[in-house]
Amino acid sequence: MIHGKNPAPVPAQLRLTGEDLVLREWTENDLPAMTGLFDDPEIAHWTPLGEVLVIRQNANGLTASLGYSVGAAHRGRRLGARALTVMTEYAHHALDLPRSTLSIATDNAASAAVARAAGYHLTDEPPTTTVRRGWSLTLRTWARDRP
């Protein structure tokens, strides 16, 4: 676990395990799978990327925004909730971030279910509206605080 305001840099080849999963960075060998994932209309509709990621946000760097997507062939096995749990634990403990957040479209019930299953709750923050690839999305903030 890393403590303090200046956590150690992320290793060049990050590999996380937990929830019976191994999360790692994409490689060139993953290009065929990436193409299928990013071409999935469901993924394209809801997200700018298809993967699990952590982005430090806000000026103080004390919050991480996480994102996730699961390809159609792999849905229904709790992969999204399990991967989100692993990434949340990494953000909270290895990166020493006290809060992680998700921005979920108000009508994306599947993503809200993943958030709930990974221990996130809907916050009182006002919704924001964004336009992605010509679609207007109203996003709500979900959060999970480090215990």
Side-chain angles (χ1 to χ4, degrees), residues 6-147:
N6 297 314
V10 175
Q13 291 297 315
L14 183 62
R15 189 175 184 88
L16 304 176
T17 59
E19 300 285 324
D20 293 324
L21 297 174
V22 175
L23 302 179
R24 61 173 175 73
E25 296 180 61
W26 292 109
T27 68
E28 285 189 34
N29 293 336
D30 297 314
L31 288 174
M34 290 172 69
T35 301
L37 180 63
F38 296 137
D39 287 346
D40 181 328
E42 269 305 294
I43 302 298
H45 179 75
W46 296 115
T47 61
L49 299 173
E51 57 192 337
V52 180
L53 58 116
V54 174
I55 302 167
R56 282 183 190 250
Q57 67 181 38
N58 74 22
N60 64 15
L62 296 178
T63 303
S65 177
L66 281 66
Y68 50 88
S69 295
V70 176
H74 304 286
R75 293 183 188 136
R77 299 187 314 196
R78 298 195 69 248
L79 290 173
R82 291 167 37 212
L84 181 58
T85 297
V86 171
M87 288 302 291
T88 301
E89 293 297 320
Y90 176 75
H92 288 182
H93 300 291
L95 299 179
D96 199 26
L97 300 173
R99 174 170 262 219
S100 52
T101 63
L102 309 168
S103 295
I104 299 176
T106 55
D107 53 348
N108 188 343
S111 193
V114 167
R116 268 190 224 90
Y120 283 76
H121 66 277
L122 186 60
T123 70
D124 293 332
E125 293 181 33
T128 59
T129 301
T130 186
V131 176
R132 290 188 186 154
R133 293 178 298 279
W135 290 312
S136 178
L137 296 174
T138 301
L139 303 172
R140 297 295 314 265
T141 301
W142 292 69
R144 180 171 156 189
D145 295 315
R146 182 177 60 206

